[in-house]
Amino acid sequence: MKKKSFFNTLVFKLIVGLVAGILVGSIASAEAIVVIDAIKSILSNLISYIVPMIILGFITPAIVSLKDNAGKILSTTLIICYVSSVGAALFSLVTGRIIIPNLDIASNVGTGKAIPESVFALSFSPIMPVMTALVTAVLIGLAVIWTKSKVWEELLVDFNAMVLKIVDKVVINILPVYIGTTFAELSYEGVIIKELPVFLKIILIVIVGHFIWLSLLYTIGGLISKTNPKEVFKHYLPAYLTALGTMSSAATLSVALKSAGKSKTLDPEIRDFVIPICSNTHLCGSVLTETFFVMTVSQILYGKMPEISSMILFCFLLGIFAIAAPGVPGGTVVASLGLITSVLGFNDAGTALMLSIFALQDSFGTACNVTGDGAIALMVTGIFKKVPGRNGN
């Protein structure tokens, strides 16, 4: 079999899309950026439309294949997701209390150029919201197990194959273009050039925090499964880069499944069940980021960080909101705005600045979320002793 050239790989196409987007956005006129925005909107709608199909096409057949273990594996996965998110928040809380008082951070955030209003819009909605698809997939999967329906079991296998083809033929091919249009808009608005220096210190700190937390998750996953975690995370570069461009765990789901599928240590049935679940319930990177940023914004606007008791409550509640948050750009911070205002007492200026700074780095938090899902799948694989080649499996 002929080896695939690097220039034909998804990683290379994603890098080209990212770089081209930044270059085009830096020189684009208002008329050109309107066209780019229209293309991005159409591609975004298309990906959003396909995401519920991916969830139904992967989670439901995976639940059916797990049979009697489905309930246990689902509850175990959700518990691990919550513990990971809360742990990331508490880790961020401790490091933030130590680091933030020693940072000299500017308080004024410049505003970039606005994207002109598009004269063309093609809007189409998904067949159902992401969380509705998630609940539907779980209930249908459990119902097939309870009724022992062979017809539905075979139907779901065929549906899984159909969705895989949609992912390969549609999603994978449009992702580089979608990422290019996303970064073209960021470059046009001046976000990359104008706002990045303002928050460079804290963004770099948060990114380092992401990798520390990912290292911990994969170490734990390796210990539980008694395998080398490198066999999982070494395949995640395409998913990480895709998440950088899409800023959406849901939009990156297809690539994450493709990356995890290359691992020899993940059980295929558990992998195809856990990865889609985690794309909407495991947002450790976003939670870590938001926790650090709320302390930073509070220090900037109010001259002090929130009380430690309020922050601890915020961390534990944020873990719940993260499980319910949609895996879309800014999903975590939008879902938790009520916590920011009620628990931490932020005013309109605080929430606005929070949204702004979170959006600036959202891609890195999403990339951490997606990459961490592989570690969760490794943990679940080890817990249920379904590591390929181990214990006779």
Side-chain angles (χ1 to χ4, degrees):
M1 185 176 177
K2 187 177 179 181
K3 188 175 180 180
K4 193 174 184 180
S5 169
F6 172 73
F7 298 104
N8 290 325
T9 62
L10 179 60
V11 173
F12 178 74
K13 292 176 182 177
L14 293 174
I15 293 174
V16 170
L18 188 153
V19 174
I22 294 175
L23 293 176
V24 170
S26 64
I27 61 175
S29 62
E31 291 76 13
I33 207 67
V34 167
V35 175
I36 292 173
D37 181 62
I39 295 172
K40 177 195 169 187
S41 177
I42 294 173
L43 296 181
S44 178
N45 283 336
L46 180 57
I47 292 174
S48 296
Y49 181 85
I50 295 173
V51 166
M53 298 174 62
I54 293 176
I55 293 174
L56 292 171
F58 279 94
I59 292 183
T60 311
I63 291 176
V64 173
S65 65
L66 292 172
K67 301 191 185 310
D68 293 337
N69 287 327
K72 295 179 181 178
I73 292 178
L74 174 60
S75 59
T76 299
T77 301
L78 292 178
I79 290 172
I80 293 175
C81 288
Y82 178 75
V83 172
S84 174
S85 294
V86 172
L90 294 175
F91 167 71
S92 184
L93 169 60
V94 173
T95 55
R97 301 286 295 192
I98 296 172
I99 296 174
I100 292 174
N102 299 312
L103 294 178
D104 181 19
I105 305 172
S107 60
N108 293 322
V109 182
T111 57
K113 290 190 293 184
I115 301 293
E117 185 176 353
S118 178
V119 295
F120 172 79
L122 179 62
S123 179
F124 47 96
S125 302
I127 54 177
M128 63 179 71
V130 169
M131 290 306 296
T132 301
L134 190 59
V135 174
T136 303
V138 172
L139 290 178
I140 290 178
L142 293 175
V144 173
I145 293 175
W146 295 332
T147 59
K148 295 181 173 58
S149 173
K150 294 297 181 183
V151 174
W152 268 90
E153 190 171 344
E154 294 174 0
L155 180 65
L156 290 171
V157 171
D158 288 340
F159 183 58
N160 176 260
M162 293 166 59
V163 174
L164 275 174
K165 283 297 180 183
I166 292 175
V167 169
D168 286 335
K169 301 295 184 181
V170 180
V171 179
I172 297 297
N173 287 328
I174 68 175
L175 273 176
V177 180
Y178 177 55
I179 289 174
T181 55
T182 299
F183 275 88
E185 288 194 351
L186 289 173
S187 179
Y188 176 84
E189 291 172 326
V191 171
I192 294 177
I193 298 174
K194 192 172 184 179
E195 292 192 358
L196 185 57
V198 177
F199 296 109
L200 182 58
K201 290 181 182 179
I202 57 173
I203 289 177
L204 290 176
I205 291 170
V206 165
I207 293 173
V208 171
H210 290 164
F211 284 103
I212 292 174
W213 192 252
L214 286 175
S215 299
L216 177 62
L217 288 180
Y218 274 99
T219 299
I220 295 174
L223 292 173
I224 293 176
S225 64
K226 295 182 174 61
T227 63
N228 187 347
K230 181 180 178 181
E231 179 52 35
V232 178
F233 71 74
K234 72 178 183 180
H235 300 295
Y236 258 86
L237 182 59
Y240 189 92
L241 291 175
T242 300
L244 285 179
T246 63
M247 302 181 187
S248 168
S249 298
T252 311
L253 176 56
S254 55
V255 182
L257 284 165
K258 196 178 187 73
S259 298
K262 296 178 181 179
S263 171
K264 299 176 182 178
T265 56
L266 292 178
D267 177 77
E269 294 177 349
I270 289 180
R271 175 198 68 214
D272 288 347
F273 174 69
V274 171
I275 297 297
I277 285 283
C278 287
S279 71
N280 290 285
T281 59
H282 183 233
L283 307 180
C284 61
S286 298
V287 166
L288 187 154
T289 301
E290 183 172 342
T291 303
F292 198 93
F293 282 179
V294 293
M295 292 188 291
T296 303
V297 170
S298 181
Q299 182 74 42
I300 292 172
L301 293 183
Y302 314 125
K304 63 177 182 178
M305 288 182 285
E307 296 294 332
I308 187 71
S309 58
S310 297
M311 283 303 305
I312 292 176
L313 175 62
F314 176 80
C315 290
F316 280 94
L317 292 178
L318 185 59
I320 298 175
F321 276 74
I323 290 179
V328 297
T332 308
V333 69
V334 171
S336 62
L337 283 179
L339 288 181
I340 294 175
T341 56
S342 61
V343 176
L344 303 182
F346 276 33
N347 57 17
D348 291 343
T351 54
L353 183 54
M354 185 64 203
L355 287 169
S356 175
I357 187 176
F358 191 92
L360 185 60
Q361 68 70 57
D362 195 22
S363 55
F364 292 100
T366 302
C368 178
N369 298 338
V370 170
T371 307
D373 294 346
I376 304 298
L378 187 59
M379 292 180 199
V380 177
T381 296
I383 290 172
F384 289 92
K385 297 181 173 59
K386 298 194 69 174
V387 177
R390 206 184 94 192
N391 296 334
N393 289 321

